[in-house]
């Protein structure tokens, strides 16, 4: 009887695991089947579905620009914050900071977007000019959203270094900062790289936060105050109304996005394993 | 053992496929789908209809004009709602105009520009006129705001204003009337177009060729930017579907639509 129960539970878990994998397979097949017919037609520079033009290059550029912006703002802040938490923060402060950062990860992305629309966008419009809905606004919002990912993974990378690295270095007369800069950061490099890459992956896939603050124009941007749309926002904003070739082109956009995120994620895994 | 795993796999797959394809029709009420511009009005009609005939179910869904028309074409919905005229390849469908809605061109209340010509409006949206000073306003860049491709409001605007000229790719895109109103209310240099049913004091409608989008001007036809709200069916409607359409076109239904800010199509109904 016990043996039967053991076997049964094993099978139930197997079935559940299988269903989650089949969902992944179903989604992949669905997107590819729907998008493949238009995949060849999305290489152009102009997106104007009313005129049958489905070029997604402006969206690819928009995605790269916003993601790069988010990384430029978010990565230094995130890594510094991780160093602070791992090395400098007294225990009490750490106990406040850590849950607070985890809470940051739990805020729904549409709330970030709304906050960006209400505070960042008017700030940019009043102080830097333009319509405010811009690459800069999107980058700031995304930078804040990727902070929890970057901070928690880098902190774990720093904390998991063998303690004798630090004690040895201090014993040899290096200061605390020299130890961090010359020894701990290089030693934790692969973990920190993985944190950055995963953060970037999150930024690429984020839709709801940036749909509100980017302005979603389809032109190729000429400054960080230009409005752009990313691959995700393009799908999010137009899928409701799309049909026929337009819909297929949006699925093709999904394939491009899917491939981009897969590349980013495998890069992160590669970096971690290389160590 | 292997057989068992195979069976489990097969059952899981079947269940998933059933889940995915399980969009079969369950009730036999009337289903409306389509334009998000028409949707709120159709919902009000459906509520009123329910009060009169509690035994009849009317289900209203969004999705956009094009999706609504294709849903009517395929029979997934009994009535497709459209906020644009039918295109040539859709003209075989049965359709009826339930009301008219006008598009208001809106700017920030503090924008000194009060009047535009149709040509100026076209030049603004094509990007030819890029500064408010060319129109008698402040020296500031014009931030044009449009709806997304596929929206009935956008395609009505394209038909009525743009003609063959394209809307500039630099236009900011928002995917609802409300979002455009919010942006224009916040940005002194913005211009947008919205359904005049949702105009409020936060934005200022400009007159087009000297005519403001007031109820009178729209009914008389002096204000040029109006579009039909259509109910579209696969074929001449019968039964429940016909009963609901008849209700919409009755003086009761038309009075409801007029009360919500639309221009009724039936003669003799109170003017808005």
């Amino acid at each position: 009887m016990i043996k039967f129960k053991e076997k049964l539970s094993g099978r139930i878990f197997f079935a559940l695991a299988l269903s989650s994998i089949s969902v992944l397979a179903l989604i992949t097949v669905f997107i590819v089947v729907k998008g493949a017919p238009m995949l060849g037609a999305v290489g152009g520079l102009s997106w104007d579905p009313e005129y049958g033009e489905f070029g997604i290059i402006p969206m690819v550029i928009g995605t790269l620009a916003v993601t790069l912006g988010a990384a430029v703002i978010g990565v230094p802040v995130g890594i510094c914050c991780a160093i602070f938490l791992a090395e400098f923060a007294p225990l009490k402060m750490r106990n406040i900071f850590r849950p607070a950062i985890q809470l940051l990860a739990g805020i729904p992305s549409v709330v970030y977007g709304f906050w960006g629309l209400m505070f960042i966008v008017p700030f940019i419009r009043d102080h830097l000019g333009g319509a405010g809905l811009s690459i800069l606004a999107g980058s700031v919002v995304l930078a804040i959203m990727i902070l929890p990912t970057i901070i928690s993974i880098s902190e774990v990378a720093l904390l998991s270094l063998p303690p004798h690295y630090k004690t040895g270095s201090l014993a040899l007369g290096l200061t605390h900062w020299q130890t961090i800069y010359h020894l701990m950061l290089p030693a934790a490099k692969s973990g920190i790289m993985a944190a950055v890459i995963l953060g970037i992956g999150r930024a690429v896939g984020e839709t709801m936060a940036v749909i509100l603050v980017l302005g979603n124009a389809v032109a190729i941007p000429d400054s960080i105050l230009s409005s752009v749309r990313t691959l995700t926002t393009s799908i999010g904003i137009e899928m409701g109304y799309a049909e026929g070739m337009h819909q297929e082109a949006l699925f093709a956009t999904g394939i491009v996005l899917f491939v981009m995120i897969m590349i980013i994620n495998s890069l992160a895994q590669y970096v971690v394993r290389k160590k | 053992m292997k057989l068992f795993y195979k069976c489990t796999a097969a059952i899981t797959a079947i269940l998933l496929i059933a889940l995915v394809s399980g969009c079969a029709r369950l009730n036999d009420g009337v289903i409306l789908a389509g334009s998000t511009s028409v949707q709120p009005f159709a919902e009000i009609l459906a509520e009123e209809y329910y009060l009169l005939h509690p035994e009849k179910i009317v289900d209203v869904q969004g999705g956009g004009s094009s999706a609504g028309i294709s849903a009517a074409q395929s029979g997934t919905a009994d009535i497709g709602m459209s906020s644009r005229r039918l295109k040539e390849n859709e003209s075989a469908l049965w359709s009826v105009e339930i009301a008219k809605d006008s598009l208001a061109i809106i700017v920030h209340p503090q924008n000194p520009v009060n009047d535009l010509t149709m040509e100026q409006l076209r030049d603004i949206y094509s990007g030819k006129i890029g500064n408010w000073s060319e129109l008698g306003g402040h020296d500031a860049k014009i931030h044009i705001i449009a709806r997304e491709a596929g929206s009935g409001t956008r395609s009505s605007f394209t038909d009525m204003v743009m003609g063959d000229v394209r809307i500039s790719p630099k236009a900011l895109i928002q995917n609802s009337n409300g979002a455009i109103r919010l942006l224009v209310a916040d940005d002194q240099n913005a211009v947008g177009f919205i359904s005049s049913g949702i105009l409020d004091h936060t934005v200022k409608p400009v007159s087009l060729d000297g005519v403001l989008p007031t109820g009178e001007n729209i009914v008389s036809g002096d204000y040029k930017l109006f579009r039909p709200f259509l109910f579209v069916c696969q074929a001449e409607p019968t039964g429940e579907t016909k009963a609901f359409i008849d209700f919409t076109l009755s003086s009761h239904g038309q009075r409801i639509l007029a009360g919500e800010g639309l221009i009724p199509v039936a003669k003799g109904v109170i003017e808005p």
Side-chain angles (χ1 to χ4, degrees):
Chain A
M1 192 57 198
I2 290 173
K3 207 178 161 201
F4 174 73
K5 265 190 182 169
E6 285 292 317
K7 266 192 179 167
L8 186 71
S9 60
R11 283 165 191 173
I12 288 172
F13 284 114
F14 172 71
L16 289 175
L18 199 68
S19 64
S20 66
I21 293 199
S22 358
V23 168
L24 176 70
L26 269 178
I27 291 175
T28 315
V29 169
F30 184 73
I31 295 177
V32 170
V33 167
K34 284 273 198 174
M38 286 296 288
L39 201 55
V42 296
L45 285 169
S46 163
W47 175 270
D48 197 343
E50 282 166 325
Y51 288 86
E53 289 173 1
F54 298 105
I56 61 166
I57 302 288
M59 278 81 114
V60 173
I61 295 174
T63 305
L64 294 178
V66 176
T67 310
L68 187 73
V72 166
I73 302 169
V75 167
V77 176
I79 294 179
C80 292
C81 193
I83 294 174
F84 172 75
L85 284 180
E87 287 299 315
F88 293 105
L91 189 66
K92 256 191 190 166
M93 205 183 269
R94 204 179 294 173
N95 286 343
I96 298 172
F97 265 76
R98 266 208 205 111
I101 287 161
Q102 274 155 17
L103 206 65
L104 205 60
I107 296 174
S109 52
V110 69
V111 174
Y112 281 102
F114 194 63
W115 170 78
L117 184 64
M118 288 294 140
F119 292 99
I120 310 237
V121 169
F123 183 86
I124 294 175
R125 181 164 54 223
D126 296 341
H127 293 90
L128 301 170
L133 300 159
S134 57
I135 297 178
L136 184 61
S139 298
V140 171
V141 169
L142 278 183
I144 298 167
M145 292 186 67
I146 63 175
L147 274 183
T149 312
I150 297 180
I151 295 173
S152 48
I153 301 178
S154 322
E155 194 199 350
V156 168
L158 286 170
L159 289 177
S160 61
L161 292 176
H164 60 253
Y165 279 24
K166 190 176 160 189
T167 46
S169 155
L170 291 174
L172 285 170
L174 269 73
T175 64
H176 193 183
W177 170 244
Q178 284 170 330
T179 307
I180 293 169
Y181 187 75
H182 292 289
L183 199 124
M184 301 187 68
L185 280 183
K189 196 174 69 188
S190 69
I192 293 174
M193 278 301 287
V196 171
I197 295 170
L198 288 175
I200 286 175
R202 168 139 201 230
V204 170
E206 190 51 60
T207 317
M208 282 322 293
V210 286
I211 208 167
L212 293 167
V213 299
L214 280 183
N216 308 313
V218 281
I220 292 171
D222 44 25
S223 85
I224 55 165
L225 297 177
S226 302
S227 164
V228 292
R229 71 167 70 172
T230 62
L231 293 164
T232 47
T233 53
S234 185
I235 300 174
I237 205 164
E238 289 188 1
M239 192 50 105
Y241 284 138
E243 44 148 18
M245 271 166 60
H246 186 188
Q247 196 181 50
E248 286 174 0
L250 290 176
F251 274 108
T253 309
I255 299 178
V256 174
L257 188 64
F258 201 75
V259 171
M260 268 172 85
I261 290 184
M262 289 229 291
I263 292 173
I264 292 171
N265 279 352
S266 9
L267 207 64
Q269 292 206 341
Y270 172 77
V271 168
V272 172
R273 282 197 193 141
K274 205 177 69 173
K275 183 187 169 190
Chain B
M1 192 61 202
K2 265 205 168 150
L3 188 72
F4 178 83
Y5 278 87
K6 274 185 188 160
C7 284
T8 323
I11 291 167
T12 319
I14 290 168
L15 281 178
L16 279 167
I17 290 165
L19 197 75
V20 170
S21 58
C23 350
R25 297 271 302 264
L26 292 177
N27 66 17
D28 47 358
V30 184
I31 296 180
L32 281 82
S35 165
T36 47
S37 301
V38 187
Q39 191 185 1
F41 303 104
E43 276 163 3
I44 293 165
L45 285 171
E47 272 167 32
E48 200 71 18
Y49 191 67
Y50 177 76
L51 292 179
L52 295 172
H53 311 279
E55 75 287 357
K56 294 180 180 171
I57 304 160
V58 177
D59 184 15
V60 183
Q61 298 161 5
S65 295
S66 301
I69 292 168
S70 63
Q73 213 155 17
S74 67
T76 348
D78 300 300
I79 301 175
M81 302 176 286
S82 171
S83 56
R84 60 165 171 81
R85 291 184 180 82
L86 294 183
K87 292 176 183 162
E88 260 171 45
N89 59 349
E90 297 159 346
S91 55
L93 294 164
W94 183 92
S95 71
V96 64
E97 186 174 321
I98 59 158
K100 282 187 173 67
D101 175 44
S102 57
L103 284 185
I105 308 301
I106 52 168
V107 295
H108 192 271
Q110 279 162 24
N111 192 321
V113 176
N114 287 314
D115 183 63
L116 293 171
T117 65
M118 204 64 121
E119 205 182 331
Q120 283 171 331
L121 185 61
R122 190 180 309 129
D123 288 346
I124 291 173
Y125 270 89
S126 69
K128 215 163 124 191
I129 296 180
N131 198 301
W132 283 111
S133 62
E134 294 171 60
L135 302 162
H138 300 301
D139 178 22
K141 237 182 110 187
I142 302 177
H143 302 146
I144 46 179
I145 307 173
R147 289 290 302 278
E148 76 286 9
S151 137
T153 311
R154 181 186 172 115
S155 72
S156 306
F157 182 84
T158 313
D159 289 348
M160 292 183 294
V161 178
M162 302 307 288
D164 293 332
V165 186
R166 290 198 197 192
I167 293 179
S168 159
K170 287 198 187 298
L172 303 176
I173 305 292
Q174 295 292 313
N175 60 355
S176 74
N177 280 306
I180 292 187
R181 188 180 62 189
L182 188 74
L183 265 186
V184 173
D186 232 24
D187 184 350
Q188 297 221 4
N189 303 316
V191 58
F193 53 86
I194 60 171
S195 163
S196 48
I198 71 151
L199 274 175
D200 64 10
H201 66 279
T202 60
V203 293
K204 179 176 80 173
V206 298
S207 57
L208 262 187
D209 295 325
V211 185
L212 270 169
T214 58
E216 286 167 24
N217 287 339
I218 299 162
V219 172
S220 68
D222 288 339
Y223 189 76
K224 298 294 181 214
L225 284 191
F226 64 84
R227 54 179 174 160
F229 277 179
L230 301 179
F231 275 178
V232 183
C233 299
Q234 202 173 23
E236 178 99 36
T238 52
E240 297 285 303
T241 310
K242 184 175 189 309
F244 182 71
I245 294 177
D246 286 345
F247 166 74
T248 305
L249 297 174
S250 70
S251 60
H252 184 187
Q254 290 288 298
R255 211 169 295 140
I256 295 169
L257 293 178
E260 295 298 324
L262 296 183
I263 314 302
V265 282
K267 294 263 185 292
V269 178
I270 5 166
E271 308 254 303

